[in-house]
Amino acid sequence: MAAEVIDRRMAVGVLQFVTRRLPRLSRLALLIGAGGNGRQALALAECYKKTGIRVTLVRPKDAMDTEGLRAHDALIDGLIGTGLHGPLSADYRDLIGRAHASERPIVALDGPTGLDLRTGQPAPGGLRAHYTVFCGGPKIGALTGAGRALCGETVTIDVGRPYPAGYLRALIPNEADLCALLLPRPADMHKGDAGTLVIAGGGVGMPGAVRLAAVAAYRVGVGLVVAGVHDQNAEVLAAAFPECVAFAASSAELPWGRARAVLVGNGLGRGDWAEDVWRRVQTLSTPMVVDGDGLYWLACAPKSRVDWVLTPHEGEAARLLGVTSAEIAADRPAAAVELQRRYGGVCVLKGAGTLVAGGDVPWLCPFGNPGMATAGMGDVLAGVIGGFMAQGLSGLAAARLGTFVHAYAGDRAVACGPPRGLLASDVAAQLRDVLGTLC
């Protein structure tokens, strides 16, 4: 398909989107670069000639100051899209600085200038957009890590061409994909059919992590949750959450053999008791989820298994790979793939735009919100994934479905109020309703 046809379709789609979002425009500034992104901006300028809206073309070396940009109702970023290579020049950084200072809405074409759309790594002095319009399909770097914050609201324009080479580094499933992962329930089902999840964690002073994980597992349909915790926490947990069967993890009575899946690490700790529990859990052949302090112990003595799901955030991922958190953030898709390659099983790299690596192509979760950056949220996610595994899903299916259900629940929880102040227990309370929308 000819480039001019694609540019024309993109321009029409952008004009329609901008008209919906900013219906009172009378003056528009197009920031134009030298490459394909600038070519799209010029095509957009041609479309606007028929609308009566005044359009000003602004190139990096132009002398238009902040006040000149502020005289426009909105700015279109057509400087650099997918063609970013290396740092931004001083001229580009200067124009971007003036664009920000103008305090006008900014619409980015394909991605904000300065954002590496393959990795999600922003260049110093890059642009922050209020809206981003993708050409042909969303770019992975715009949907995970820092890209989530720099792109603002996103929309995709169908230009009738294949997905751009080099950018399909993760799949975003739809509800039908997720529904297909849910196992049907027969009318004569009992709790034994729904599976048993054993949680090993809850060190001294940390029974809450286990409780959150147990609640989450029950809310996604597991039949029984048994928690092996520190002796001081067994009675506390049993009293706080009677549906959870609590034992002292040092007890010979702990029914490891009944588990269809094991979750280890929630509130486990890093002392001698925690190390002993970790070592005993590693002797089991049961499929497992490793979260929290379990990932610390795994980093201390790395090993690989095909039947586990690891759920690190960027700091834990850095420890597992022996790098810095900044290096993980610089290329989250590559980090997720490398963790799975090195440790086996499935890797769920948490954060904005959580990635699930374990199949041919990683899955990306575009849902979730800043309110979910709070204590206990990871325990809920681990409980969801463990609960699905205990019901018979594979580690990959449980990780994919669990990540999306958890994020959906987080978004439903903030529908009733602002993200600030959201609790992990608020998200757990939404899980049952979220599943109801999928099946």
Side-chain angles (χ1 to χ4, degrees):
M1 184 180 294
E4 57 268 22
V5 175
I6 294 173
D7 292 345
R8 171 68 182 176
R9 291 180 177 178
M10 179 69 171
V12 170
V14 172
L15 188 151
Q16 292 172 345
F17 173 78
V18 172
T19 300
R20 290 194 303 270
R21 288 293 181 271
L22 305 169
R24 298 182 179 180
L25 284 181
S26 61
R27 296 191 66 185
L28 186 66
L30 300 186
L31 314 184
I32 296 181
N37 212 227
R39 192 185 66 239
Q40 289 179 340
L42 289 173
L44 181 60
E46 287 297 313
C47 283
Y48 268 108
K49 284 183 178 180
K50 303 175 183 179
T51 66
I53 294 174
R54 296 174 58 188
V55 174
T56 305
L57 305 184
V58 183
R59 292 177 171 82
K61 292 184 179 295
D62 289 349
M64 183 176 290
D65 60 14
T66 298
E67 290 304 315
L69 291 173
R70 188 174 289 144
H72 298 80
D73 300 309
L75 313 179
I76 303 290
D77 169 28
L79 294 171
I80 305 176
T82 59
L84 178 69
H85 300 288
L88 296 172
S89 69
D91 288 334
Y92 277 74
R93 293 197 307 271
D94 181 59
L95 178 54
I96 289 170
R98 283 179 273 144
H100 290 158
S102 74
E103 300 181 334
R104 289 294 178 259
I106 301 175
V107 181
L109 302 183
D110 236 11
T113 295
L115 178 65
D116 188 321
L117 294 169
R118 288 181 174 87
T119 67
Q121 175 76 346
L127 185 135
R128 298 185 311 276
H130 298 87
Y131 309 95
T132 295
V133 184
F134 297 122
C135 178
K139 313 305 186 290
I140 180 64
L143 299 177
T144 190
R148 287 279 293 264
L150 295 175
C151 289
E153 180 185 340
T154 61
V155 66
T156 297
I157 304 299
D158 181 5
V159 295
R161 73 171 182 181
Y163 208 97
Y167 289 90
L168 184 58
R169 296 187 58 188
L171 296 177
I172 303 172
N174 55 36
E175 287 193 6
D177 297 323
L178 300 175
C179 289
L181 301 177
L182 285 169
L183 299 177
R185 289 198 154 193
D188 61 346
M189 191 169 189
H190 56 79
K191 70 178 181 182
D193 297 328
T196 296
L197 175 68
V198 171
I199 303 177
V204 176
M206 294 185 287
V210 172
R211 183 183 186 279
L212 286 168
V215 169
Y218 272 124
R219 288 299 185 188
V220 297
V222 77
L224 177 66
V225 178
V226 178
V229 298
H230 193 277
D231 300 26
Q232 295 181 14
N233 291 331
E235 291 187 7
V236 173
L237 182 60
F241 188 33
E243 292 91 344
C244 180
V245 180
F247 287 84
S250 57
S251 171
E253 299 176 13
L254 192 61
W256 301 106
R258 293 172 56 185
R260 189 181 288 173
V262 172
L263 167 57
V264 58
N266 305 92
L268 181 63
R270 300 181 181 182
D272 293 342
W273 176 85
E275 184 177 12
D276 177 64
V277 171
W278 169 253
R279 286 177 176 172
R280 286 197 290 137
V281 168
Q282 294 313 299
T283 66
L284 304 174
S285 58
T286 311
M288 68 179 64
V289 180
V290 183
D291 186 51
D293 289 323
L295 297 166
Y296 165 82
W297 292 110
L298 177 59
C300 291
K303 60 183 292 188
S304 177
R305 285 180 60 150
V306 298
D307 62 346
W308 61 14
V309 176
L310 310 182
T311 58
H313 54 57
E314 288 182 0
E316 292 161 340
R319 184 180 295 112
L320 288 166
L321 293 179
V323 298
T324 65
S325 297
E327 289 174 281
I328 299 295
D331 194 342
R332 284 173 51 84
V337 170
E338 176 59 19
L339 282 162
Q340 191 279 329
R341 185 198 68 81
R342 190 176 301 188
Y343 289 92
V346 178
C347 173
V348 178
L349 181 57
K350 297 183 293 192
T354 293
L355 292 156
V356 180
D360 294 335
V361 179
W363 275 29
L364 182 141
C365 180
F367 307 108
N369 59 80
M372 298 176 75
T374 187
M377 207 65 70
D379 299 309
V380 173
L381 174 60
V384 170
I385 296 172
F388 283 135
M389 288 176 68
Q391 293 175 71
L393 272 68
S394 69
L396 182 58
R400 287 173 168 176
L401 180 59
T403 297
F404 278 77
V405 166
H406 178 255
Y408 274 139
D411 288 345
R412 283 179 65 101
V414 299
C416 303
R420 195 184 302 272
L422 184 68
L423 298 179
S425 54
D426 297 333
V427 175
Q430 295 289 333
L431 292 169
R432 187 180 176 207
D433 286 343
V434 168
L435 279 181
T437 66
L438 294 176
C439 60

